[in-house]
Amino acid sequence: MKLSQFKYKLPDELIALYPTKHRDESRLLVLHRKTGEIEHRTFNDILEYYNDQDVFVFNDTRVFPARLYGTKDNSEAKIEVFLLRELNHDLRMWDVLVDPARKIRVGNKLYFGENNLLVAEVIDNTTSRGRTVRFLYDGSYEEFRRTLYELGETPLPRFIKRDVEPEDETRYQTIFAKNEGAVVAPTAGLHFSRELLKRLEILGIDFAYVTLHAGLCNYREIDVEDLTKHKVDSEQMLVNQDAVGIINHAKDNNRKVCAVGTTVMRALETCACTNGTIKPYDGWTSKFIFPPYDFGVADSMIANFHLPYSPLLMLTCAFGGYDQVMGAYQKAVQEGYRFGIYGDAMLII
């Protein structure tokens, strides 16, 4: 398919700047794949679509405060450093993005915090905006990480056009977040409250957890019309034997498997076997899913409403059917659903 096929008109006022007061009280559009029927519900109504021994698969990645603001060479030149991943624990070396990139060169020193609490040296160029930096810090590694995170800011996407607020530290994080490493939250999981999880548990639903450390490739603009030529960044993922056992047991017994979010769906398809089961996986994935695509593991999916041209929208269309999903999006716009990371949700069954 072509990039231009994933364009739709989204009024700015429908991009949610804040989450709902309670996680599980967002709106829920239910799309039935076989019939095209659409229902308008509330997210905590999701219990009505599942039964005993069905499985929900969650991404338990944890977002870290990846955005830092500082100055260059102890001057007044303001810079932003976006932490992508730690490259070397002992050397405190990180892969980062910098802005403005044209002003930040190898050999520059970057200063953060009051009284230059933290200093980094640029040691390599990686991409047009990418750099490798080494943080210069005399304390222990634990003190260094604590300092780094105290100076960092919750990495809300740029389409959230407001300043980061203290509440974002918890709301841009799932309640089951465990394994740190993401710079993008698995947003479908943000709708689950502790109360809703308990109700699902009482219903007899089984939970499986996978880890996929979502990166900026989820929001990066695609610059090719032919989607077969688009390359995505690799993201680290882990699917352990516990998750494999729960999911495969459900598949063997014809129970429903719900992928909570596009990151979960990509993780499942990365480790899928030809018979619809999955195998353990510990490594990296650069899987890019767009229509047409045959899914082998999950038979339902929860997703937020994604922005035009988004690779997340493309995966959603691949699962729900291009015409049906794009039609549902048009209906969601008409009905005033909230879009983006803090927006409402869609259940595709």
Side-chain angles (χ1 to χ4, degrees), residues 5-222:
Q5 292 176 266
F6 295 92
K7 176 183 179 181
Y8 67 93
K9 188 173 182 180
L10 177 62
D12 289 343
E13 61 268 21
L14 292 186
I15 299 176
L17 298 183
Y18 295 91
T20 55
K21 183 177 181 181
H22 301 289
R23 289 179 182 267
D24 57 12
E25 292 183 353
S26 60
R27 297 173 70 186
L28 178 69
L29 186 150
V30 182
L31 172 63
H32 296 261
R33 288 194 291 172
K34 290 184 178 179
T35 64
E37 177 190 357
I38 289 176
E39 299 179 69
H40 302 288
R41 308 294 295 269
T42 301
F43 192 82
N44 54 27
D45 293 334
I46 203 165
L47 291 91
E48 299 179 20
Y49 299 91
Y50 295 92
N51 298 297
D52 182 37
Q53 296 184 25
D54 291 340
V55 172
F56 275 53
V57 188
F58 298 103
N59 184 1
D60 65 5
T61 187
R62 186 172 187 83
V63 178
F64 63 91
R67 186 174 280 124
L68 297 169
Y69 293 100
T71 57
K72 185 189 78 166
D73 289 331
N74 213 10
S75 67
E76 297 300 316
K78 300 287 187 182
I79 54 96
E80 175 189 313
V81 172
F82 195 102
L83 304 172
L84 295 177
R85 63 178 62 90
E86 188 176 44
L87 299 176
N88 188 297
H89 175 285
D90 296 329
L91 296 178
R92 296 167 192 181
M93 196 177 298
W94 284 71
D95 184 19
V96 305
L97 295 177
V98 295
D99 188 31
R102 67 184 183 279
K103 294 184 178 180
I104 301 177
R105 300 180 175 87
V106 173
N108 287 151
K109 283 192 170 61
L110 312 176
Y111 297 82
F112 307 95
E114 292 185 10
N115 301 316
N116 299 331
L117 181 62
L118 192 62
V119 182
E121 181 182 12
V122 181
I123 61 174
D124 196 10
N125 296 323
T126 53
T127 64
S128 59
R129 289 184 56 215
R131 303 289 186 272
T132 300
V133 302
R134 181 174 60 235
F135 286 96
L136 311 176
Y137 191 86
D138 292 333
S140 68
Y141 181 78
E142 289 71 25
E143 292 171 332
F144 160 68
R145 291 283 288 210
R146 187 163 54 249
T147 301
L148 187 67
Y149 284 19
E150 286 173 354
L151 294 173
E153 180 180 272
T154 302
L156 293 183
R158 288 302 188 191
F159 61 77
I160 302 293
K161 296 180 180 179
R162 64 168 174 83
D163 292 337
V164 172
E165 299 179 10
E167 291 77 13
D168 292 311
E169 184 176 348
T170 55
R171 293 308 302 269
Y172 193 57
Q173 196 86 266
T174 64
I175 62 170
F176 42 80
K178 178 182 178 183
N179 297 310
E180 189 175 80
V183 297
V184 172
T187 53
L190 298 179
H191 299 281
F192 287 85
S193 65
R194 299 188 191 283
E195 293 77 15
L196 179 56
L197 287 179
K198 190 63 178 179
R199 291 172 66 194
L200 288 167
E201 184 181 342
I202 292 171
L203 187 62
I205 303 297
D206 291 324
F207 303 149
Y209 295 93
V210 302
T211 304
L212 190 149
H213 294 314
L216 288 181
C217 61
N218 293 277
Y219 295 130
R220 189 168 291 148
E221 290 185 4
I222 297 176

